[in-house]
PDB file of all heavy atoms in Angstrom:
ATOM      1  N   PRO A   1       0.764  -1.202   0.008  1.00  0.00           N
ATOM      2  CA  PRO A   1       0.016  -0.008   0.027  1.00  0.00           C
ATOM      3  C   PRO A   1       0.832   1.295   0.017  1.00  0.00           C
ATOM      4  O   PRO A   1       0.369   2.269  -0.477  1.00  0.00           O
ATOM      5  CB  PRO A   1      -0.818  -0.142   1.307  1.00  0.00           C
ATOM      6  CG  PRO A   1      -0.911  -1.591   1.594  1.00  0.00           C
ATOM      7  CD  PRO A   1       0.442  -2.109   1.119  1.00  0.00           C
ATOM      8  N   ALA A   2       2.083   1.265   0.504  1.00  0.00           N
ATOM      9  CA  ALA A   2       2.873   2.421   0.599  1.00  0.00           C
ATOM     10  C   ALA A   2       3.171   2.980  -0.807  1.00  0.00           C
ATOM     11  O   ALA A   2       3.283   4.255  -0.899  1.00  0.00           O
ATOM     12  CB  ALA A   2       4.173   2.149   1.347  1.00  0.00           C
ATOM     13  N   THR A   3       3.309   2.155  -1.780  1.00  0.00           N
ATOM     14  CA  THR A   3       3.589   2.612  -3.117  1.00  0.00           C
ATOM     15  C   THR A   3       2.329   2.398  -4.021  1.00  0.00           C
ATOM     16  O   THR A   3       2.345   2.697  -5.151  1.00  0.00           O
ATOM     17  CB  THR A   3       4.720   1.888  -3.759  1.00  0.00           C
ATOM     18  OG1 THR A   3       4.524   0.465  -3.728  1.00  0.00           O
ATOM     19  CG2 THR A   3       6.015   2.200  -3.033  1.00  0.00           C
ATOM     20  N   ASP A   4       1.237   1.837  -3.459  1.00  0.00           N
ATOM     21  CA  ASP A   4       0.037   1.530  -4.194  1.00  0.00           C
ATOM     22  C   ASP A   4       0.303   0.548  -5.363  1.00  0.00           C
ATOM     23  O   ASP A   4      -0.162   0.643  -6.473  1.00  0.00           O
ATOM     24  CB  ASP A   4      -0.650   2.777  -4.755  1.00  0.00           C
ATOM     25  CG  ASP A   4      -1.997   2.530  -5.286  1.00  0.00           C
ATOM     26  OD1 ASP A   4      -2.661   1.526  -4.886  1.00  0.00           O
ATOM     27  OD2 ASP A   4      -2.488   3.282  -6.151  1.00  0.00           O
ATOM     28  N   LEU A   5       1.131  -0.518  -4.995  1.00  0.00           N
ATOM     29  CA  LEU A   5       1.387  -1.512  -5.982  1.00  0.00           C
ATOM     30  C   LEU A   5       1.012  -2.884  -5.440  1.00  0.00           C
ATOM     31  O   LEU A   5       0.973  -3.119  -4.226  1.00  0.00           O
ATOM     32  CB  LEU A   5       2.910  -1.567  -6.324  1.00  0.00           C
ATOM     33  CG  LEU A   5       3.390  -0.295  -7.072  1.00  0.00           C
ATOM     34  CD1 LEU A   5       4.976  -0.434  -7.119  1.00  0.00           C
ATOM     35  CD2 LEU A   5       2.834  -0.244  -8.470  1.00  0.00           C
ATOM     36  N   ALA A   6       0.722  -3.828  -6.304  1.00  0.00           N
ATOM     37  CA  ALA A   6       0.377  -5.198  -5.944  1.00  0.00           C
ATOM     38  C   ALA A   6       0.771  -6.174  -7.035  1.00  0.00           C
ATOM     39  O   ALA A   6       0.896  -5.771  -8.193  1.00  0.00           O
ATOM     40  CB  ALA A   6      -1.116  -5.330  -5.704  1.00  0.00           C
ATOM     41  N   VAL A   7       1.006  -7.379  -6.691  1.00  0.00           N
ATOM     42  CA  VAL A   7       1.376  -8.450  -7.647  1.00  0.00           C
ATOM     43  C   VAL A   7       0.311  -9.557  -7.574  1.00  0.00           C
ATOM     44  O   VAL A   7       0.014 -10.024  -6.455  1.00  0.00           O
ATOM     45  CB  VAL A   7       2.735  -8.993  -7.365  1.00  0.00           C
ATOM     46  CG1 VAL A   7       3.026 -10.092  -8.335  1.00  0.00           C
ATOM     47  CG2 VAL A   7       3.813  -7.881  -7.548  1.00  0.00           C
ATOM     48  N   LEU A   8      -0.226  -9.863  -8.672  1.00  0.00           N
ATOM     49  CA  LEU A   8      -1.136 -10.999  -8.868  1.00  0.00           C
ATOM     50  C   LEU A   8      -0.500 -12.109  -9.609  1.00  0.00           C
ATOM     51  O   LEU A   8       0.587 -11.986 -10.257  1.00  0.00           O
ATOM     52  CB  LEU A   8      -2.429 -10.615  -9.658  1.00  0.00           C
ATOM     53  CG  LEU A   8      -3.152  -9.335  -9.134  1.00  0.00           C
ATOM     54  CD1 LEU A   8      -4.369  -8.999 -10.074  1.00  0.00           C
ATOM     55  CD2 LEU A   8      -3.669  -9.616  -7.713  1.00  0.00           C
ATOM     56  N   ARG A   9      -1.111 -13.334  -9.567  1.00  0.00           N
ATOM     57  CA  ARG A   9      -0.626 -14.401 -10.418  1.00  0.00           C
ATOM     58  C   ARG A   9      -1.797 -15.161 -11.007  1.00  0.00           C
ATOM     59  O   ARG A   9      -2.827 -15.374 -10.336  1.00  0.00           O
ATOM     60  CB  ARG A   9       0.188 -15.360  -9.553  1.00  0.00           C
ATOM     61  CG  ARG A   9       0.883 -16.432 -10.430  1.00  0.00           C
ATOM     62  CD  ARG A   9       1.823 -17.331  -9.606  1.00  0.00           C
ATOM     63  NE  ARG A   9       3.047 -16.642  -9.216  1.00  0.00           N
ATOM     64  CZ  ARG A   9       4.110 -16.463  -9.964  1.00  0.00           C
ATOM     65  NH1 ARG A   9       4.001 -16.770 -11.211  1.00  0.00           N
ATOM     66  NH2 ARG A   9       5.191 -15.865  -9.503  1.00  0.00           N
ATOM     67  N   VAL A  10      -1.616 -15.537 -12.238  1.00  0.00           N
ATOM     68  CA  VAL A  10      -2.594 -16.380 -12.929  1.00  0.00           C
ATOM     69  C   VAL A  10      -1.910 -17.704 -13.305  1.00  0.00           C
ATOM     70  O   VAL A  10      -0.677 -17.675 -13.468  1.00  0.00           O
ATOM     71  CB  VAL A  10      -3.203 -15.740 -14.183  1.00  0.00           C
ATOM     72  CG1 VAL A  10      -4.049 -14.472 -13.781  1.00  0.00           C
ATOM     73  CG2 VAL A  10      -2.155 -15.345 -15.208  1.00  0.00           C
ATOM     74  N   ASP A  11      -2.655 -18.761 -13.459  1.00  0.00           N
ATOM     75  CA  ASP A  11      -2.086 -20.039 -13.914  1.00  0.00           C
ATOM     76  C   ASP A  11      -1.991 -20.100 -15.380  1.00  0.00           C
ATOM     77  O   ASP A  11      -2.866 -20.475 -16.118  1.00  0.00           O
ATOM     78  CB  ASP A  11      -3.020 -21.161 -13.379  1.00  0.00           C
ATOM     79  CG  ASP A  11      -2.946 -21.305 -11.903  1.00  0.00           C
ATOM     80  OD1 ASP A  11      -1.878 -21.051 -11.296  1.00  0.00           O
ATOM     81  OD2 ASP A  11      -3.986 -21.711 -11.244  1.00  0.00           O
ATOM     82  N   ALA A  12      -0.875 -19.581 -15.896  1.00  0.00           N
ATOM     83  CA  ALA A  12      -0.575 -19.597 -17.321  1.00  0.00           C
ATOM     84  C   ALA A  12       0.959 -19.542 -17.519  1.00  0.00           C
ATOM     85  O   ALA A  12       1.673 -19.047 -16.653  1.00  0.00           O
ATOM     86  CB  ALA A  12      -1.202 -18.404 -18.045  1.00  0.00           C
ATOM     87  N   LYS A  13       1.390 -20.093 -18.591  1.00  0.00           N
ATOM     88  CA  LYS A  13       2.815 -20.150 -18.886  1.00  0.00           C
ATOM     89  C   LYS A  13       3.045 -19.361 -20.257  1.00  0.00           C
ATOM     90  O   LYS A  13       2.107 -19.231 -21.070  1.00  0.00           O
ATOM     91  CB  LYS A  13       3.338 -21.563 -18.987  1.00  0.00           C
ATOM     92  CG  LYS A  13       3.035 -22.372 -17.714  1.00  0.00           C
ATOM     93  CD  LYS A  13       3.890 -21.744 -16.518  1.00  0.00           C
ATOM     94  CE  LYS A  13       3.735 -22.641 -15.292  1.00  0.00           C
ATOM     95  NZ  LYS A  13       4.406 -22.061 -14.115  1.00  0.00           N
ATOM     96  N   ASN A  14       4.329 -19.053 -20.478  1.00  0.00           N
ATOM     97  CA  ASN A  14       4.787 -18.502 -21.766  1.00  0.00           C
ATOM     98  C   ASN A  14       4.061 -17.258 -22.174  1.00  0.00           C
ATOM     99  O   ASN A  14       3.643 -17.085 -23.314  1.00  0.00           O
ATOM    100  CB  ASN A  14       4.726 -19.587 -22.841  1.00  0.00           C
ATOM    101  CG  ASN A  14       5.559 -20.784 -22.555  1.00  0.00           C
ATOM    102  OD1 ASN A  14       6.715 -20.726 -22.113  1.00  0.00           O
ATOM    103  ND2 ASN A  14       4.969 -21.937 -22.829  1.00  0.00           N
ATOM    104  N   LEU A  15       3.720 -16.447 -21.143  1.00  0.00           N
ATOM    105  CA  LEU A  15       3.000 -15.234 -21.472  1.00  0.00           C
ATOM    106  C   LEU A  15       3.924 -14.146 -21.967  1.00  0.00           C
ATOM    107  O   LEU A  15       5.132 -14.125 -21.649  1.00  0.00           O
ATOM    108  CB  LEU A  15       2.272 -14.721 -20.193  1.00  0.00           C
ATOM    109  CG  LEU A  15       1.211 -15.554 -19.604  1.00  0.00           C
ATOM    110  CD1 LEU A  15       0.677 -14.923 -18.283  1.00  0.00           C
ATOM    111  CD2 LEU A  15       0.073 -15.787 -20.617  1.00  0.00           C
ATOM    112  N   PRO A  16       3.465 -13.204 -22.816  1.00  0.00           N
ATOM    113  CA  PRO A  16       4.318 -12.117 -23.269  1.00  0.00           C
ATOM    114  C   PRO A  16       4.638 -11.185 -22.088  1.00  0.00           C
ATOM    115  O   PRO A  16       3.766 -10.858 -21.344  1.00  0.00           O
ATOM    116  CB  PRO A  16       3.494 -11.405 -24.367  1.00  0.00           C
ATOM    117  CG  PRO A  16       2.099 -11.779 -24.018  1.00  0.00           C
ATOM    118  CD  PRO A  16       2.097 -13.145 -23.394  1.00  0.00           C
ATOM    119  N   VAL A  17       5.865 -10.776 -22.011  1.00  0.00           N
ATOM    120  CA  VAL A  17       6.311  -9.947 -20.823  1.00  0.00           C
ATOM    121  C   VAL A  17       6.669  -8.542 -21.328  1.00  0.00           C
ATOM    122  O   VAL A  17       7.277  -8.386 -22.350  1.00  0.00           O
ATOM    123  CB  VAL A  17       7.540 -10.671 -20.172  1.00  0.00           C
ATOM    124  CG1 VAL A  17       8.036  -9.837 -19.075  1.00  0.00           C
ATOM    125  CG2 VAL A  17       7.168 -12.058 -19.718  1.00  0.00           C
ATOM    126  N   ALA A  18       6.331  -7.573 -20.479  1.00  0.00           N
ATOM    127  CA  ALA A  18       6.694  -6.206 -20.778  1.00  0.00           C
ATOM    128  C   ALA A  18       8.151  -5.955 -20.315  1.00  0.00           C
ATOM    129  O   ALA A  18       8.572  -6.486 -19.238  1.00  0.00           O
ATOM    130  CB  ALA A  18       5.768  -5.244 -20.033  1.00  0.00           C
ATOM    131  N   ASN A  19       8.928  -5.226 -21.118  1.00  0.00           N
ATOM    132  CA  ASN A  19      10.234  -4.766 -20.744  1.00  0.00           C
ATOM    133  C   ASN A  19      10.275  -3.423 -19.955  1.00  0.00           C
ATOM    134  O   ASN A  19       9.438  -2.562 -20.393  1.00  0.00           O
ATOM    135  CB  ASN A  19      11.149  -4.636 -21.973  1.00  0.00           C
ATOM    136  CG  ASN A  19      11.329  -5.991 -22.677  1.00  0.00           C
ATOM    137  OD1 ASN A  19      11.601  -6.996 -22.017  1.00  0.00           O
ATOM    138  ND2 ASN A  19      11.300  -6.029 -23.943  1.00  0.00           N
ATOM    139  N   PHE A  20      11.004  -3.351 -18.902  1.00  0.00           N
ATOM    140  CA  PHE A  20      11.059  -2.137 -18.076  1.00  0.00           C
ATOM    141  C   PHE A  20      12.200  -1.345 -18.432  1.00  0.00           C
ATOM    142  O   PHE A  20      13.364  -1.810 -18.583  1.00  0.00           O
ATOM    143  CB  PHE A  20      11.017  -2.530 -16.628  1.00  0.00           C
ATOM    144  CG  PHE A  20       9.696  -2.857 -16.117  1.00  0.00           C
ATOM    145  CD1 PHE A  20       8.981  -3.970 -16.602  1.00  0.00           C
ATOM    146  CD2 PHE A  20       9.034  -2.107 -15.110  1.00  0.00           C
ATOM    147  CE1 PHE A  20       7.706  -4.289 -16.156  1.00  0.00           C
ATOM    148  CE2 PHE A  20       7.750  -2.420 -14.669  1.00  0.00           C
ATOM    149  CZ  PHE A  20       7.118  -3.517 -15.196  1.00  0.00           C
ATOM    150  N   ALA A  21      11.987   0.006 -18.534  1.00  0.00           N
ATOM    151  CA  ALA A  21      13.106   0.947 -18.827  1.00  0.00           C
ATOM    152  C   ALA A  21      13.677   1.463 -17.500  1.00  0.00           C
ATOM    153  O   ALA A  21      13.109   1.146 -16.470  1.00  0.00           O
ATOM    154  CB  ALA A  21      12.569   2.133 -19.626  1.00  0.00           C
ATOM    155  N   ASP A  22      14.732   2.195 -17.583  1.00  0.00           N
ATOM    156  CA  ASP A  22      15.358   2.885 -16.461  1.00  0.00           C
ATOM    157  C   ASP A  22      14.636   4.209 -16.342  1.00  0.00           C
ATOM    158  O   ASP A  22      14.953   5.169 -17.121  1.00  0.00           O
ATOM    159  CB  ASP A  22      16.811   3.056 -16.649  1.00  0.00           C
ATOM    160  CG  ASP A  22      17.531   3.697 -15.472  1.00  0.00           C
ATOM    161  OD1 ASP A  22      16.801   4.158 -14.580  1.00  0.00           O
ATOM    162  OD2 ASP A  22      18.751   3.866 -15.455  1.00  0.00           O
ATOM    163  N   SER A  23      13.694   4.376 -15.465  1.00  0.00           N
ATOM    164  CA  SER A  23      12.935   5.631 -15.332  1.00  0.00           C
ATOM    165  C   SER A  23      13.829   6.808 -14.951  1.00  0.00           C
ATOM    166  O   SER A  23      13.500   8.004 -15.206  1.00  0.00           O
ATOM    167  CB  SER A  23      11.828   5.475 -14.353  1.00  0.00           C
ATOM    168  OG  SER A  23      12.221   4.996 -13.119  1.00  0.00           O
ATOM    169  N   ASP A  24      14.990   6.525 -14.333  1.00  0.00           N
ATOM    170  CA  ASP A  24      15.855   7.696 -13.930  1.00  0.00           C
ATOM    171  C   ASP A  24      16.395   8.442 -15.091  1.00  0.00           C
ATOM    172  O   ASP A  24      16.747   9.614 -15.029  1.00  0.00           O
ATOM    173  CB  ASP A  24      17.010   7.173 -13.034  1.00  0.00           C
ATOM    174  CG  ASP A  24      16.530   6.785 -11.653  1.00  0.00           C
ATOM    175  OD1 ASP A  24      15.444   7.146 -11.292  1.00  0.00           O
ATOM    176  OD2 ASP A  24      17.360   6.148 -10.949  1.00  0.00           O
ATOM    177  N   VAL A  25      16.562   7.715 -16.299  1.00  0.00           N
ATOM    178  CA  VAL A  25      17.134   8.447 -17.393  1.00  0.00           C
ATOM    179  C   VAL A  25      16.114   8.916 -18.379  1.00  0.00           C
ATOM    180  O   VAL A  25      16.444   9.492 -19.499  1.00  0.00           O
ATOM    181  CB  VAL A  25      18.186   7.498 -18.161  1.00  0.00           C
ATOM    182  CG1 VAL A  25      19.251   7.073 -17.242  1.00  0.00           C
ATOM    183  CG2 VAL A  25      17.445   6.236 -18.762  1.00  0.00           C
ATOM    184  N   ALA A  26      14.848   8.669 -18.075  1.00  0.00           N
ATOM    185  CA  ALA A  26      13.793   9.240 -18.932  1.00  0.00           C
ATOM    186  C   ALA A  26      13.861  10.752 -18.971  1.00  0.00           C
ATOM    187  O   ALA A  26      14.172  11.359 -17.987  1.00  0.00           O
ATOM    188  CB  ALA A  26      12.425   8.754 -18.440  1.00  0.00           C
ATOM    189  N   ARG A  27      13.507  11.324 -20.131  1.00  0.00           N
ATOM    190  CA  ARG A  27      13.666  12.762 -20.311  1.00  0.00           C
ATOM    191  C   ARG A  27      12.297  13.400 -20.341  1.00  0.00           C
ATOM    192  O   ARG A  27      11.380  12.955 -21.040  1.00  0.00           O
ATOM    193  CB  ARG A  27      14.341  13.113 -21.586  1.00  0.00           C
ATOM    194  CG  ARG A  27      15.782  12.485 -21.672  1.00  0.00           C
ATOM    195  CD  ARG A  27      16.385  12.744 -23.078  1.00  0.00           C
ATOM    196  NE  ARG A  27      16.492  14.190 -23.343  1.00  0.00           N
ATOM    197  CZ  ARG A  27      16.623  14.669 -24.627  1.00  0.00           C
ATOM    198  NH1 ARG A  27      16.596  13.887 -25.598  1.00  0.00           N
ATOM    199  NH2 ARG A  27      16.716  15.938 -24.787  1.00  0.00           N
ATOM    200  N   VAL A  28      12.175  14.476 -19.539  1.00  0.00           N
ATOM    201  CA  VAL A  28      10.958  15.286 -19.549  1.00  0.00           C
ATOM    202  C   VAL A  28      10.790  15.865 -21.013  1.00  0.00           C
ATOM    203  O   VAL A  28      11.700  16.421 -21.598  1.00  0.00           O
ATOM    204  CB  VAL A  28      11.026  16.448 -18.577  1.00  0.00           C
ATOM    205  CG1 VAL A  28       9.828  17.365 -18.678  1.00  0.00           C
ATOM    206  CG2 VAL A  28      11.063  15.829 -17.130  1.00  0.00           C
ATOM    207  N   GLY A  29       9.588  15.642 -21.536  1.00  0.00           N
ATOM    208  CA  GLY A  29       9.280  16.104 -22.807  1.00  0.00           C
ATOM    209  C   GLY A  29       9.237  14.986 -23.863  1.00  0.00           C
ATOM    210  O   GLY A  29       8.757  15.225 -24.982  1.00  0.00           O
ATOM    211  N   GLU A  30       9.764  13.812 -23.565  1.00  0.00           N
ATOM    212  CA  GLU A  30       9.765  12.719 -24.540  1.00  0.00           C
ATOM    213  C   GLU A  30       8.355  12.169 -24.643  1.00  0.00           C
ATOM    214  O   GLU A  30       7.497  12.185 -23.759  1.00  0.00           O
ATOM    215  CB  GLU A  30      10.730  11.627 -24.098  1.00  0.00           C
ATOM    216  CG  GLU A  30      10.385  10.835 -22.919  1.00  0.00           C
ATOM    217  CD  GLU A  30      11.330   9.614 -22.735  1.00  0.00           C
ATOM    218  OE1 GLU A  30      11.173   8.621 -23.416  1.00  0.00           O
ATOM    219  OE2 GLU A  30      12.277   9.727 -21.907  1.00  0.00           O
ATOM    220  N   TRP A  31       8.114  11.517 -25.915  1.00  0.00           N
ATOM    221  CA  TRP A  31       6.842  10.940 -26.101  1.00  0.00           C
ATOM    222  C   TRP A  31       6.611   9.783 -25.215  1.00  0.00           C
ATOM    223  O   TRP A  31       7.490   8.977 -24.950  1.00  0.00           O
ATOM    224  CB  TRP A  31       6.701  10.448 -27.519  1.00  0.00           C
ATOM    225  CG  TRP A  31       6.624  11.525 -28.576  1.00  0.00           C
ATOM    226  CD1 TRP A  31       7.676  11.973 -29.419  1.00  0.00           C
ATOM    227  CD2 TRP A  31       5.484  12.245 -29.050  1.00  0.00           C
ATOM    228  NE1 TRP A  31       7.208  12.956 -30.251  1.00  0.00           N
ATOM    229  CE2 TRP A  31       5.883  13.127 -30.037  1.00  0.00           C
ATOM    230  CE3 TRP A  31       4.149  12.287 -28.581  1.00  0.00           C
ATOM    231  CZ2 TRP A  31       5.019  14.033 -30.697  1.00  0.00           C
ATOM    232  CZ3 TRP A  31       3.250  13.133 -29.186  1.00  0.00           C
ATOM    233  CH2 TRP A  31       3.661  13.960 -30.185  1.00  0.00           C
ATOM    234  N   VAL A  32       5.297   9.591 -24.767  1.00  0.00           N
ATOM    235  CA  VAL A  32       4.985   8.422 -24.005  1.00  0.00           C
ATOM    236  C   VAL A  32       3.629   7.899 -24.437  1.00  0.00           C
ATOM    237  O   VAL A  32       2.888   8.639 -25.023  1.00  0.00           O
ATOM    238  CB  VAL A  32       4.910   8.681 -22.428  1.00  0.00           C
ATOM    239  CG1 VAL A  32       6.361   8.896 -21.902  1.00  0.00           C
ATOM    240  CG2 VAL A  32       3.966   9.892 -22.134  1.00  0.00           C
ATOM    241  N   VAL A  33       3.336   6.663 -24.124  1.00  0.00           N
ATOM    242  CA  VAL A  33       2.070   6.005 -24.547  1.00  0.00           C
ATOM    243  C   VAL A  33       1.540   5.285 -23.326  1.00  0.00           C
ATOM    244  O   VAL A  33       2.235   4.539 -22.600  1.00  0.00           O
ATOM    245  CB  VAL A  33       2.256   4.972 -25.721  1.00  0.00           C
ATOM    246  CG1 VAL A  33       0.996   4.296 -26.022  1.00  0.00           C
ATOM    247  CG2 VAL A  33       2.842   5.724 -26.937  1.00  0.00           C
ATOM    248  N   ALA A  34       0.248   5.521 -23.057  1.00  0.00           N
ATOM    249  CA  ALA A  34      -0.509   4.835 -21.996  1.00  0.00           C
ATOM    250  C   ALA A  34      -1.425   3.761 -22.577  1.00  0.00           C
ATOM    251  O   ALA A  34      -2.161   4.058 -23.537  1.00  0.00           O
ATOM    252  CB  ALA A  34      -1.246   5.823 -21.107  1.00  0.00           C
ATOM    253  N   ILE A  35      -1.373   2.577 -21.954  1.00  0.00           N
ATOM    254  CA  ILE A  35      -2.168   1.450 -22.513  1.00  0.00           C
ATOM    255  C   ILE A  35      -2.912   0.880 -21.320  1.00  0.00           C
ATOM    256  O   ILE A  35      -2.372   0.636 -20.295  1.00  0.00           O
ATOM    257  CB  ILE A  35      -1.384   0.386 -23.168  1.00  0.00           C
ATOM    258  CG1 ILE A  35      -0.524   1.024 -24.311  1.00  0.00           C
ATOM    259  CG2 ILE A  35      -2.301  -0.684 -23.723  1.00  0.00           C
ATOM    260  CD1 ILE A  35       0.365  -0.052 -24.994  1.00  0.00           C
ATOM    261  N   GLY A  36      -4.282   0.694 -21.472  1.00  0.00           N
ATOM    262  CA  GLY A  36      -5.064   0.187 -20.389  1.00  0.00           C
ATOM    263  C   GLY A  36      -6.511  -0.015 -20.774  1.00  0.00           C
ATOM    264  O   GLY A  36      -6.819  -0.064 -21.984  1.00  0.00           O
ATOM    265  N   SER A  37      -7.352  -0.137 -19.750  1.00  0.00           N
ATOM    266  CA  SER A  37      -8.801  -0.384 -19.977  1.00  0.00           C
ATOM    267  C   SER A  37      -9.652   0.683 -19.371  1.00  0.00           C
ATOM    268  O   SER A  37     -10.383   0.409 -18.335  1.00  0.00           O
ATOM    269  CB  SER A  37      -9.159  -1.733 -19.414  1.00  0.00           C
ATOM    270  OG  SER A  37      -8.387  -2.726 -20.086  1.00  0.00           O
ATOM    271  N   PRO A  38      -9.600   1.956 -19.849  1.00  0.00           N
ATOM    272  CA  PRO A  38     -10.447   2.964 -19.220  1.00  0.00           C
ATOM    273  C   PRO A  38     -11.929   2.625 -19.382  1.00  0.00           C
ATOM    274  O   PRO A  38     -12.365   2.296 -20.524  1.00  0.00           O
ATOM    275  CB  PRO A  38     -10.059   4.201 -20.022  1.00  0.00           C
ATOM    276  CG  PRO A  38      -9.539   3.748 -21.324  1.00  0.00           C
ATOM    277  CD  PRO A  38      -8.885   2.450 -21.038  1.00  0.00           C
ATOM    278  N   PHE A  39     -12.644   2.630 -18.343  1.00  0.00           N
ATOM    279  CA  PHE A  39     -14.134   2.294 -18.297  1.00  0.00           C
ATOM    280  C   PHE A  39     -14.381   0.974 -18.979  1.00  0.00           C
ATOM    281  O   PHE A  39     -15.460   0.690 -19.586  1.00  0.00           O
ATOM    282  CB  PHE A  39     -14.908   3.414 -19.019  1.00  0.00           C
ATOM    283  CG  PHE A  39     -14.787   4.789 -18.395  1.00  0.00           C
ATOM    284  CD1 PHE A  39     -13.965   5.676 -18.920  1.00  0.00           C
ATOM    285  CD2 PHE A  39     -15.377   5.048 -17.085  1.00  0.00           C
ATOM    286  CE1 PHE A  39     -13.792   6.935 -18.284  1.00  0.00           C
ATOM    287  CE2 PHE A  39     -15.209   6.300 -16.497  1.00  0.00           C
ATOM    288  CZ  PHE A  39     -14.444   7.200 -17.088  1.00  0.00           C
ATOM    289  N   GLY A  40     -13.452   0.067 -18.814  1.00  0.00           N
ATOM    290  CA  GLY A  40     -13.630  -1.314 -19.406  1.00  0.00           C
ATOM    291  C   GLY A  40     -13.316  -1.415 -20.844  1.00  0.00           C
ATOM    292  O   GLY A  40     -13.558  -2.501 -21.463  1.00  0.00           O
ATOM    293  N   LEU A  41     -12.856  -0.365 -21.482  1.00  0.00           N
ATOM    294  CA  LEU A  41     -12.554  -0.415 -22.919  1.00  0.00           C
ATOM    295  C   LEU A  41     -11.110  -0.912 -23.092  1.00  0.00           C
ATOM    296  O   LEU A  41     -10.168  -0.169 -23.074  1.00  0.00           O
ATOM    297  CB  LEU A  41     -12.699   1.005 -23.602  1.00  0.00           C
ATOM    298  CG  LEU A  41     -14.131   1.616 -23.393  1.00  0.00           C
ATOM    299  CD1 LEU A  41     -14.102   3.085 -23.883  1.00  0.00           C
ATOM    300  CD2 LEU A  41     -15.170   0.784 -24.124  1.00  0.00           C
ATOM    301  N   GLY A  42     -10.997  -2.258 -23.232  1.00  0.00           N
ATOM    302  CA  GLY A  42      -9.705  -2.917 -23.120  1.00  0.00           C
ATOM    303  C   GLY A  42      -8.688  -2.485 -24.149  1.00  0.00           C
ATOM    304  O   GLY A  42      -9.082  -2.186 -25.338  1.00  0.00           O
ATOM    305  N   HIS A  43      -7.529  -2.375 -23.762  1.00  0.00           N
ATOM    306  CA  HIS A  43      -6.291  -2.096 -24.581  1.00  0.00           C
ATOM    307  C   HIS A  43      -6.512  -0.808 -25.364  1.00  0.00           C
ATOM    308  O   HIS A  43      -6.291  -0.702 -26.599  1.00  0.00           O
ATOM    309  CB  HIS A  43      -6.077  -3.300 -25.514  1.00  0.00           C
ATOM    310  CG  HIS A  43      -5.597  -4.495 -24.797  1.00  0.00           C
ATOM    311  ND1 HIS A  43      -6.497  -5.368 -24.353  1.00  0.00           N
ATOM    312  CD2 HIS A  43      -4.398  -4.894 -24.413  1.00  0.00           C
ATOM    313  CE1 HIS A  43      -5.846  -6.357 -23.726  1.00  0.00           C
ATOM    314  NE2 HIS A  43      -4.529  -6.051 -23.709  1.00  0.00           N
ATOM    315  N   THR A  44      -6.945   0.223 -24.632  1.00  0.00           N
ATOM    316  CA  THR A  44      -7.034   1.617 -25.233  1.00  0.00           C
ATOM    317  C   THR A  44      -5.659   2.247 -25.146  1.00  0.00           C
ATOM    318  O   THR A  44      -4.955   2.089 -24.152  1.00  0.00           O
ATOM    319  CB  THR A  44      -8.056   2.393 -24.404  1.00  0.00           C
ATOM    320  OG1 THR A  44      -9.346   1.891 -24.622  1.00  0.00           O
ATOM    321  CG2 THR A  44      -8.030   3.886 -24.897  1.00  0.00           C
ATOM    322  N   VAL A  45      -5.305   2.838 -26.294  1.00  0.00           N
ATOM    323  CA  VAL A  45      -3.966   3.516 -26.461  1.00  0.00           C
ATOM    324  C   VAL A  45      -4.135   4.999 -26.482  1.00  0.00           C
ATOM    325  O   VAL A  45      -4.907   5.549 -27.247  1.00  0.00           O
ATOM    326  CB  VAL A  45      -3.236   2.989 -27.671  1.00  0.00           C
ATOM    327  CG1 VAL A  45      -1.882   3.776 -27.840  1.00  0.00           C
ATOM    328  CG2 VAL A  45      -3.012   1.483 -27.643  1.00  0.00           C
ATOM    329  N   THR A  46      -3.462   5.758 -25.592  1.00  0.00           N
ATOM    330  CA  THR A  46      -3.455   7.203 -25.634  1.00  0.00           C
ATOM    331  C   THR A  46      -2.002   7.674 -25.632  1.00  0.00           C
ATOM    332  O   THR A  46      -1.117   6.976 -25.157  1.00  0.00           O
ATOM    333  CB  THR A  46      -4.119   7.787 -24.449  1.00  0.00           C
ATOM    334  OG1 THR A  46      -3.578   7.289 -23.178  1.00  0.00           O
ATOM    335  CG2 THR A  46      -5.636   7.466 -24.441  1.00  0.00           C
TER     336      THR A  46
END
């Protein structure tokens, strides 16, 4: 809760994995993309 993060697990193998960047070297002003399910609209890209 201190960072508002949680880890879940599902019973599945060989799932595609996201690669994580070094957020310390990210530059203010660079392009970013948000992906998620706003209001249940799955895999919306902004």
Side-chain angles (χ1 to χ4, degrees):
T3 55
D4 193 22
L5 294 171
V7 176
L8 307 176
R9 186 176 289 282
V10 296
D11 291 328
K13 302 294 183 182
N14 301 317
L15 296 178
V17 178
N19 294 318
F20 280 63
D22 181 354
S23 54
D24 286 347
V25 301
R27 300 175 62 201
V28 173
E30 70 173 280
W31 289 102
V32 291
V33 176
I35 305 177
S37 300
F39 301 104
L41 302 174
H43 294 90
T44 293
V45 177
T46 56

